């Protein structure tokens, strides 16, 4: 099956080959008598290794907005390659080996490799998509249950041809909860399903059954156990949420943690150490910038330099978040209007600060104080919390971790005005995903991604 895992593996292997092959070919043309095994080949091997490590940081870039290949993955590839190249050059310089290598070869390698990488990745993905369209190495699958969950899964399959899956149709069962669109075929009932599963008609069968009728689902799964076809379960929203939770064993009894503190004492200590060390270093670097910003605010508009607003922190504790003032007003009441595009309340200096996120810099003092983290769910105004907790289930679970200056939602494109409920729901989904998946490595990736994202964020105003 040509699935995502296989296609990703092909992409990574092609990257290693191209990085090494490109410098070897350039060196062979420019200096055919050079000892490759002691020079350029070693550089190529080192570059392929560094490229993979750097790629783990920049891999987050592709998920910012879901834009087409050349807007996201191509940019990530170029950024990863430039970082790899300059790290490698730095290592060569430190090792005092730079005189052994031709500058013409290295510059040529710098320029040609990203083009080859982007072209090869695009070609590979087009090839995999074409193979699916013409039916080569496809896997025909059937979906059991005409439900919203099953229909969303089928739509996702159709929009990702590189998965190698082909939806043959749906089996209707007694617990169907949706109507079947005309672009999908109804291929039978539960009895027909069992016959097809026993005969191996389909490569895979996917169950999209609601949780309301557990007896029917359990009975169907038991019957499918006596067939020869692989069976997989597509979780509904409730089951999907449970899959992210952890189990404990208390008094010899397994307990599922539905809502639980995401960080143990040890992990909380690590995150606090990260905030103090990284936050202090960043604060030392940005103090001159903050002084210039403070002077610009003071001389261009009347009012205080800093804007303080009440927010909810860890476990709902209230604190004062610090920002550079960007508006002519300092709202901190029960009704707070979000900033909108071309907002007349925003000052000229404030517009620049908001666009570049420089207005957030004083929050590093909040980090040092312990009210915030560098990375975490963004804190919302108290008035907005009161409004959204009544509209979005589980909204207040965001406060099980310290709020952050930046977060998973922000680097995934859910920053700025939440003028629709959907936008806030997506932001909360990202926040909860971050809370469930927290690691020091993830924090570092988000910090790096934020630096790149800030330069091109259209949602900041």
């Amino acid at each position: 099956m040509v699935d995502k895992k296989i296609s990703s593996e092909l992409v990574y292997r092609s990257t290693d080959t191209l990085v090494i092959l490109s410098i070897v070919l350039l060196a062979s043309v420019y200096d055919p008598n050079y000892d490759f095994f002691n020079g350029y080949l070693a550089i190529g091997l080192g570059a392929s290794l560094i490229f993979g490590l750097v790629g783990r940081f920049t891999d987050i870039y592709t998920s910012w907005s879901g834009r087409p290949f050349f807007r996201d993955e191509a940019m990530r590839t170029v950024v990863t390659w430039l970082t790899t190249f300059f790290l490698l050059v730095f290592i060569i310089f430190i090792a005092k080996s730079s005189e052994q290598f031709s500058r013409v070869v290295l510059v040529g390698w710098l320029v040609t490799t990203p083009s080859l990488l982007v072209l090869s990745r695009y070609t590979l993905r087009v090839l995999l998509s074409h193979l699916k369209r013409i039916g080569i190495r496809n896997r025909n699958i059937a979906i059991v249950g005409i439900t919203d969950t099953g229909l969303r899964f089928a739509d996702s399959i159709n929009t990702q041809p590189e998965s190698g899956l082909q939806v043959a149709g749906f089996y209707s069962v007694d617990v169907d909860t949706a109507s079947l669109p005309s672009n999908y075929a109804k291929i039978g009932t539960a009895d027909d399903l069992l016959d097809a599963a026993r005969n191996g008609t389909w490569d895979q069968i996917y169950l999209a059954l609601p949780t309301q009728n557990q007896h029917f689902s359990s009975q169907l799964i038991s019957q499918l156990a006596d067939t020869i076809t692989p069976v997989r379960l597509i979780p509904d929203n409730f089951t999907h949420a449970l899959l992210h939770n952890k189990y404990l064993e208390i008094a010899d009894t397994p307990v599922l943690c539905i809502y639980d503190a995401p960080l143990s004492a040890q992990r909380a200590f690590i995150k606090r150490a990260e905030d103090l060390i990284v936050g202090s270093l960043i604060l030392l670097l940005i103090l001159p910038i903050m002084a210039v910003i403070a002077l610009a605010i003071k001389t261009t508009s009347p009012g205080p330099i800093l804007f303080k607003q009440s927010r909810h922190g860890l476990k709902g504790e209230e604190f004062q978040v610090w920002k550079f003032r960007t508006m002519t007003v300092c709202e901190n009441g029960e009704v707070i209007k979000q900033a909108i595009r071309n907002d007349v309340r925003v000052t000229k200096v404030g517009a620049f600060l908001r666009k570049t996120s420089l207005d957030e810099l004083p929050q590093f003092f909040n980090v040092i104080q312990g009210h915030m983290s560098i990375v975490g769910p963004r804190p919302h105004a108290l008035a907005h919390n009161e409004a959204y907790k009544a509209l979005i289930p589980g909204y207040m679970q965001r406060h099980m971790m310290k709020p952050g200056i930046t977060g998973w939602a922000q680097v995934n494109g859910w920053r700025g005005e939440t003028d629709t409920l959907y936008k806030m729901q997506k932001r909360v989904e990202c926040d909860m995903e971050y809370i469930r998946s927290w690691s020091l490595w993830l924090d570092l990736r988000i910090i790096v991604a934020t630096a790149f994202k800030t330069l091109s964020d259209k949602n900041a105003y």
Side-chain angles (χ1 to χ4, degrees):
M1 179 181 65
V2 185
D3 59 13
K4 280 190 173 182
K5 182 176 181 181
I6 293 177
S7 62
S8 297
E9 188 69 19
L10 290 172
V11 167
Y12 293 140
R13 296 288 73 79
S14 64
T15 295
D16 293 341
T17 303
L18 283 174
V19 167
I20 298 171
L21 187 61
S22 58
I23 192 170
V24 169
L25 290 177
L26 285 169
S28 64
V29 172
Y30 185 77
D31 187 5
N33 297 320
Y34 196 84
D35 185 356
F36 294 125
F37 288 96
N38 294 326
Y40 292 112
L41 181 59
I43 289 181
L45 291 170
S48 65
L49 176 62
I50 296 174
F51 191 93
L53 295 174
V54 174
R56 296 185 66 179
F57 283 96
T58 57
D59 205 36
I60 192 175
Y61 187 88
T62 57
S63 64
W64 282 352
S65 62
R67 292 187 295 260
F69 174 83
F70 279 107
R71 290 290 303 277
D72 276 340
E73 187 166 358
M75 179 62 73
R76 180 184 69 84
T77 301
V78 171
V79 170
T80 303
W81 170 247
L82 292 177
T83 306
T84 298
F85 180 84
F86 288 114
L87 281 174
L88 195 61
V89 169
F90 177 74
I91 294 172
I92 294 173
F93 176 78
I94 294 297
K96 298 182 179 180
S97 303
S98 56
E99 69 279 358
Q100 299 179 23
F101 304 101
S102 166
R103 290 179 175 82
V104 175
V105 173
L106 292 179
V107 171
W109 191 40
L110 169 65
V111 174
T112 59
T113 300
S115 301
L116 291 174
L117 290 175
V118 171
L119 180 61
S120 67
R121 292 187 175 201
Y122 179 71
T123 302
L124 183 58
R125 294 183 187 278
V126 170
L127 175 61
L128 291 173
S129 299
H130 181 67
L131 289 177
K132 178 182 177 179
R133 282 192 294 269
I134 63 178
I136 297 178
R137 299 190 70 183
N138 272 359
R139 289 294 180 98
N140 290 318
I141 68 169
I143 300 176
V144 183
I146 304 175
T147 61
D148 290 336
T149 300
L151 293 173
R152 282 196 300 268
F153 177 69
D155 291 339
S156 297
I157 292 296
N158 290 334
T159 57
Q160 298 179 22
E162 68 271 16
S163 68
L165 299 178
Q166 182 70 42
V167 179
F170 283 74
Y171 283 100
S172 175
V173 293
D174 295 340
V175 293
D176 288 342
T177 58
S179 57
L180 188 65
S182 58
N183 57 318
Y184 293 116
K186 179 180 177 181
I187 52 179
T189 62
D191 292 335
D192 300 319
L193 162 68
L194 294 174
D195 290 337
R198 294 189 184 101
N199 296 329
T201 304
W202 312 116
D203 294 304
Q204 296 167 1
I205 292 175
Y206 287 80
L207 304 181
L209 306 174
T211 58
Q212 288 88 336
N213 195 327
Q214 295 185 2
H215 175 72
F216 176 86
S217 301
S218 299
Q219 186 180 34
L220 181 60
I221 291 173
S222 297
Q223 291 173 322
L224 289 170
D226 295 326
T227 67
I228 62 174
T229 304
V231 178
R232 299 178 177 181
L233 176 68
I234 308 171
D236 58 12
N237 292 334
F238 176 74
T239 306
H240 183 268
L242 293 181
L243 290 175
H244 289 286
N245 295 318
K246 61 183 180 181
Y247 286 90
L248 296 177
E249 187 170 301
I250 300 176
D252 298 325
T253 303
V255 177
L256 178 64
C257 301
I258 303 297
Y259 304 120
D260 196 17
L263 301 182
S264 63
Q266 181 181 7
R267 288 158 64 88
F269 175 80
I270 293 173
K271 186 163 178 61
R272 180 57 180 155
E274 170 203 341
D275 288 335
L276 288 175
I277 295 172
V278 179
S280 297
L281 291 175
I282 294 177
L283 197 54
L284 288 174
L285 293 174
I286 65 175
L287 279 176
I289 300 175
M290 293 176 68
V292 173
I293 293 173
L295 182 62
I297 294 173
K298 194 64 177 177
T299 56
T300 56
S301 63
I305 294 173
L306 292 178
F307 165 57
K308 299 179 181 180
Q309 193 177 67
S310 298
R311 302 290 169 95
H312 283 140
L314 181 64
K315 297 181 180 179
E317 178 186 357
E318 191 172 318
F319 73 99
Q320 296 289 310
V321 68
W322 292 9
K323 287 187 177 186
F324 281 121
R325 181 177 58 83
T326 59
M327 292 185 173
T328 56
V329 297
C330 296
E331 297 176 335
N332 192 26
E334 295 182 357
V335 178
I336 298 177
K337 182 182 178 182
Q338 281 189 327
I340 60 176
R341 194 178 298 276
N342 301 320
D343 198 317
V344 295
R345 299 172 298 166
V346 178
T347 65
K348 292 183 178 180
V349 172
F352 172 76
L353 296 180
R354 297 176 74 92
K355 180 64 177 176
T356 57
S357 296
L358 292 175
D359 62 318
E360 313 282 0
L361 293 184
Q363 290 171 33
F364 280 98
F365 289 108
N366 289 123
V367 172
I368 301 302
Q369 291 171 347
H371 297 305
M372 294 181 65
S373 286
I374 298 176
V375 182
R378 283 293 298 158
H380 301 151
L382 301 189
H384 297 157
N385 275 348
E386 292 300 318
Y388 284 116
K389 74 178 183 181
L391 299 174
I392 302 176
Y395 174 86
M396 293 302 290
Q397 294 294 313
R398 303 171 68 254
H399 300 290
M400 296 182 73
M401 184 173 279
K402 285 183 183 179
I405 298 176
T406 184
W408 184 242
Q410 282 63 48
V411 298
N412 276 282
W414 301 109
R415 181 194 173 198
E417 181 188 6
T418 51
D419 52 344
T420 65
L421 183 62
Y422 173 76
K423 290 181 179 180
M424 182 59 78
Q425 288 173 331
K426 298 303 294 184
R427 182 183 292 186
V428 172
E429 286 178 13
C430 288
D431 289 339
M432 296 309 299
E433 181 181 351
Y434 167 78
I435 290 173
R436 289 189 295 260
S437 308
W438 179 86
S439 69
L440 180 60
W441 185 257
L442 178 59
D443 273 4
L444 295 177
R445 290 174 62 194
I446 292 174
I447 292 171
V448 172
T450 300
F452 290 109
K453 179 66 173 176
T454 300
L455 300 177
S456 59
D457 193 350
K458 297 181 179 180
N459 292 327
Y461 45 82

